[in-house]
Each structure stands twice: as C-alpha cells, then as structure tokens.
Amino acid sequence: DDDKVRDLLKETALGQGSRLKVNAGFIEGNTVSCTGAQFCGLGLIETKANAESIAKKLESMVTVDRPIRIHWTGCPNSCGQVQVADIGIMGGPARKLDEATGKMMAVPGCKIFVGGRIGEDAHISLDPYKEGIPLEEDSLIPELVGILKT
C-alpha cells in the first residue's frame, strides 16, 4: 500500500513547518515531557513548550549518532521520568543576576540529570548533574550542548 503512504505524506498536517514529523531527528523524536505547570498544579515550570523548543534548537546545533532521550518533568514527582533519561530536566529553583538591581533574583530553573538508562542495563540517575540552572535558553542550551558533546 505504498500509494496510501504517499497520500498520507502529502497531508498538510505533515507538511513543511508542521509540528508533526514522519522522520523526527534523534533528539526531537525522543523528547518526553509531563504536562508541566500549564496543566498541573505541582509543576514548577512549563515543560511542553520548552521541551519542544529546546529539542528543535539542539537538533540544529548538535549532530548525534544515536537516539538521545531527553525527558522533562515540572516537579520532583518526576512524571516525565527524568532519572531514566539520557538527559533529564526537572523543574526547580534557580537564581540569576538582575543587572538593573545588581541582585540575584529567583527565576524558573531546573536540575539536570545525566546517564539514566532503561532496558537490561538499566540505571537510575538519582543525583543531579547540575542544579539551579535558569530555564531561559541562553543559560540552559549551552549546558545541554556541553553534555551532548561529551
């Protein structure tokens, strides 16, 4: 039924610029997120939009040779299962210098977990690799690129 597949691939939902991809990359196609603060009262950060945005940017910045599972969760309940991901991002407190006042201010932030695995060689990453990272892309993306390049 190759004709049906070709017809399906012509659908506008799968077209250029669509959020849906037939062949998502090794990063985008393996990103997982809980519902986050948008729909969960326990969420400390908005996870879904951040996960999608950052996965797309990482996909264009870093070449990886295997699927990289990046899991996002908004709080310590870990519905996004960050401890079993290659890279796990958990909402948490962070501080950043406010240049206008010269004071450290609370901002949305995260803890990063590295090295979780599933399957026969499973490993749970219980201790954060880094904590207190501001969620803004200027702070988070360089940290993730550094992890992906090691």
Side-chain angles (χ1 to χ4, degrees), residues 1 5 7 25 34 39 50 53 58 64 68-69 72 77 87 89 91 100 103-104 108 112 114 120 129 145:
D1 289 355
V5 171
D7 289 343
C34 72
F39 297 107
N50 284 313
S53 170
L58 289 173
V64 295
I68 302 293
R69 293 173 302 105
W72 289 70
N77 285 331
I87 300 173
I89 301 169
K103 296 180 181 180
M104 296 297 284
I112 301 175
V114 175
E120 290 182 22
Y129 171 78
V145 168

Side-chain angles (χ1 to χ4, degrees), residues 117-140:
R117 294 186 304 274
I118 57 175
E120 290 182 22
D121 187 29
H123 171 73
I124 296 176
S125 178
L126 294 176
D127 298 317
Y129 171 78
K130 286 209 171 175
E131 298 183 60
I133 307 298
L135 199 58
E136 65 182 17
E137 291 181 0
D138 290 347
S139 298
L140 182 56

Side-chain angles (χ1 to χ4, degrees), residues 18-116:
S18 171
R19 290 177 64 207
L20 302 175
K21 295 184 179 178
V22 175
N23 295 312
F26 279 151
I27 296 173
E28 279 186 272
N30 292 284
T31 298
V32 173
S33 173
C34 72
T35 61
Q38 183 179 8
F39 297 107
C40 177
L42 300 174
L44 302 172
I45 61 170
E46 203 300 301
T47 55
K48 294 188 305 178
N50 284 313
E52 181 178 5
S53 170
I54 288 180
K56 284 181 181 181
K57 287 187 173 130
L58 289 173
E59 196 77 61
S60 69
M61 296 172 74
V62 180
T63 301
V64 295
D65 59 359
R66 65 176 181 86
I68 302 293
R69 293 173 302 105
I70 300 179
H71 291 208
W72 289 70
T73 194
C75 74
N77 285 331
S78 200
C79 296
Q81 302 174 344
V82 298
Q83 291 89 354
V84 296
D86 294 309
I87 300 173
I89 301 169
M90 177 185 289
R95 298 172 69 81
K96 184 169 181 165
L97 180 64
D98 180 343
E99 293 182 19
T101 64
K103 296 180 181 180
M104 296 297 284
M105 302 296 289
V107 296
C110 66
K111 299 176 182 181
I112 301 175
F113 295 80
V114 175

